[in-house]
Amino acid sequence: MADVSLQTRLNPLAEKLKLRLDEDQLMNCMRCGFCLPACPTFRETGIEAESPRGRIALMKAVADGIMSPDEVFEEQMNHCLGCRACEPACPADVKYGQLIEQARDAIEDHTEQHRWWVKLARGAAFELMFPNQNRMRWLGKGIRFYQKSGLRTLARGIGVMKLLPKPMRDMEKIMPDASSHGVVEQIGTRHPAKGEKIATVGLFRGCIMDVLFTETNIHTVELLMEAGFEVVIPDTQNCCGALHAHSGEAEGARALARRNIQVFKDAGVDYIISNAGGCGAILTEYDHLLHEDPEWKEGAAWFAERVLDCSDLLVRYGRLPGFSEDESKKPVKDSEPVRITYQDSCHLRNVMRSSDAPRRLMRQVAGVEYVEMMEADRCCGSAGIYNLVQPEMAGQILDHKMEHVKTTEAHYLLTSNPGCLLQMKNGIEQHGLSDRMKAVHIVDFLHERMCSGCGSK
Ligand code: SF4
Ligand code: SF4
């Protein structure tokens, strides 16, 4: 038998994992396997180590000193999408999301030998860009210049794009027009409710959202005002920290969380509203992120319990505006209603536990037929930057998703998260469906069909 204490002593990563992994959560897993059918990577491969139960067993084996973490161990952790579909399926309430973040944090801490360009890219993204809204704005300006100045046409014409890896080429093709001015620069920070005020809400504008989907942020504000909410958009808010937390940069995520808590507290809001499932989910988990920080623990709990997705706020507390039929958007045949379907955002569904509210809103739109897509609750393969770093698995998952998308014969494929939206646009393009189907954020769809008289900036 191997000398386990010696093994652990010799492997610094094992030491780090042992310290970081929550032993209670590891022990809670009773190996029942109820989570297996919910897991996309297990469904694609059929391999136990690619399942939540398998990954937890690997973590436990390392924490117990039975196994030494090697490259294969790291690969299994990195193959996980972090979609957290395993959590609602688990009868023991194992917090898998926390375990995988702890494992990745330890791995990242241990990895001093990143290739130089990975180091550079991570440093630029996690330290320079995401934490700084002004730099994100400059990024937006840069992308817009590239898109509008003719540079993009030139780059495509002379074949520069061919030098990029395929997943990046695909993304470049479907990238929406970036905005050089964010939501605050365009419409200001405070917006009164229409009619009697129900509550004051703070909009979490996001960083990618505010560069690539600024219009959606503006539409969110207008939808909320119409439903009776005063909307405040604190201008000094930051990135939510989701990409940091999911990439093993827990301390970076904590620093961002502290700044956001302070900013929204100072704004005196009743609710904090997100229109991006990926951001919303980490915002609801600030209490866990800072649970070991005595100075911020209370503020983090205050913040986390106020976070809601836009659809949930509208359905639970809002005076819903009428969502009318839009004649100009009718499909070719007059008699046909507009058919729509919906792809759940994993984090909205599995972490924020919100799946009913968006469906209720969509069903209220006049002249629209809502079709439930088979396995709409399954990940689309986007998962933050997973589709860029694990293109093979992400591609397989997307292909399966698109088979279900096709059978809905929908004209609109709605989503509640920018990553899912881009992935769905990518799937529509790759599967030759762009002549009959469009991927749209649910807020934009509802906004377009709001009753007359609303939507004035
Ligand atoms: S987070 Fe998603 S991919 Fe990872 S183990 Fe859970 S279900 Fe599987
Ligand atoms: S469902 Fe929960 S308890 Fe059962 S194997 Fe999966 S993680 Fe473990």
Side-chain angles (χ1 to χ4, degrees), residues 428-448:
I428 288 173
E429 179 76 22
Q430 303 236 349
H431 286 252
L433 301 172
S434 29
D435 57 336
R436 70 198 89 144
M437 183 183 281
K438 212 174 155 190
V440 177
H441 194 291
I442 185 171
V443 162
D444 295 329
F445 186 80
L446 295 174
H447 180 272
E448 197 174 60

Side-chain angles (χ1 to χ4, degrees), residues 238-275:
N238 292 286
C239 165
C240 61
L243 285 178
H244 292 74
H246 303 156
S247 308
E249 301 276 349
E251 201 33 63
R254 282 192 275 272
L256 290 166
R258 289 183 194 107
R259 277 148 66 182
N260 282 327
I261 293 165
Q262 194 60 57
V263 164
F264 279 89
K265 259 202 142 177
D266 292 348
V269 296
D270 301 307
Y271 298 101
I272 297 146
I273 303 307
S274 151
N275 55 14

Side-chain angles (χ1 to χ4, degrees), residues 163-433:
L163 300 175
L164 294 177
K166 186 173 179 311
M168 291 190 82
R169 271 201 318 267
D170 292 342
M171 276 298 152
E172 194 272 344
K173 267 193 220 155
I174 50 95
M175 176 94 73
D177 286 347
S179 171
S180 46
H181 294 96
V183 60
V184 170
E185 287 164 289
Q186 292 196 38
I187 63 170
T189 54
R190 195 166 274 273
H191 306 273
K194 294 259 173 89
E196 198 182 331
K197 182 177 94 173
I198 300 168
T200 299
V201 302
L203 176 72
F204 189 81
R205 69 182 161 200
C207 39
I208 305 282
M209 271 307 288
D210 212 35
V211 167
L212 293 181
F213 300 98
T214 320
E215 275 287 292
T216 309
N217 274 345
I218 296 172
H219 293 163
T220 307
V221 172
E222 291 171 352
L223 204 52
L224 294 172
M225 289 163 70
E226 191 61 30
F229 300 101
E230 178 190 24
V231 186
V232 180
I233 320 169
D235 197 23
T236 46
Q237 61 179 288
N238 292 286
C239 165
C240 61
L243 285 178
H244 292 74
H246 303 156
S247 308
E249 301 276 349
E251 201 33 63
R254 282 192 275 272
L256 290 166
R258 289 183 194 107
R259 277 148 66 182
N260 282 327
I261 293 165
Q262 194 60 57
V263 164
F264 279 89
K265 259 202 142 177
D266 292 348
V269 296
D270 301 307
Y271 298 101
I272 297 146
I273 303 307
S274 151
N275 55 14
C279 303
I282 185 98
L283 298 179
T284 61
E285 294 191 320
Y286 275 5
D287 53 345
H288 170 71
L289 198 62
L290 294 170
H291 74 286
E292 284 178 349
D293 184 333
E295 204 188 320
W296 287 89
K297 213 169 141 179
E298 209 180 299
W302 174 91
F303 186 98
E305 69 187 18
R306 277 165 179 75
V307 177
L308 277 178
D309 183 71
C310 173
S311 297
D312 268 304
L313 181 84
L314 288 172
V315 169
R316 278 199 221 170
Y317 308 115
R319 276 191 303 275
L320 279 184
F323 299 118
S324 55
E325 198 164 349
D326 185 342
E327 288 296 329
S328 66
K329 303 287 169 189
K330 277 215 155 196
V332 193
K333 285 184 232 154
D334 264 356
S335 53
E336 239 182 271
V338 175
R339 189 177 298 131
I340 62 173
T341 193
Y342 180 69
Q343 164 61 31
D344 280 289
S345 143
C346 295
H347 284 112
L348 184 57
R349 186 181 181 102
N350 302 325
V351 184
M352 297 178 84
R353 304 288 165 110
S354 167
S355 55
D356 188 45
R359 287 172 170 80
R360 279 180 61 183
L361 290 172
M362 286 182 284
R363 287 195 166 105
Q364 288 194 23
V365 182
V368 157
E369 181 194 357
Y370 175 74
V371 190
E372 183 66 32
M373 176 167 64
M374 225 177 121
E375 300 191 343
D377 58 341
R378 295 282 151 80
C379 184
C380 62
S382 165
I385 53 167
Y386 188 93
N387 50 355
L388 300 177
V389 294
Q390 302 285 347
E392 209 172 297
M393 180 67 80
Q396 273 181 40
I397 292 170
L398 180 61
D399 286 345
H400 287 151
K401 174 66 62 188
M402 293 316 291
E403 290 312 313
H404 295 317
V405 169
K406 276 181 208 159
T407 59
T408 64
E409 297 188 359
H411 304 105
Y412 288 94
L413 170 53
L414 306 186
T415 73
S416 299
N417 185 53
C420 311
L421 185 53
L422 291 174
Q423 182 78 334
M424 290 297 91
K425 282 177 187 280
N426 185 19
I428 288 173
E429 179 76 22
Q430 303 236 349
H431 286 252
L433 301 172

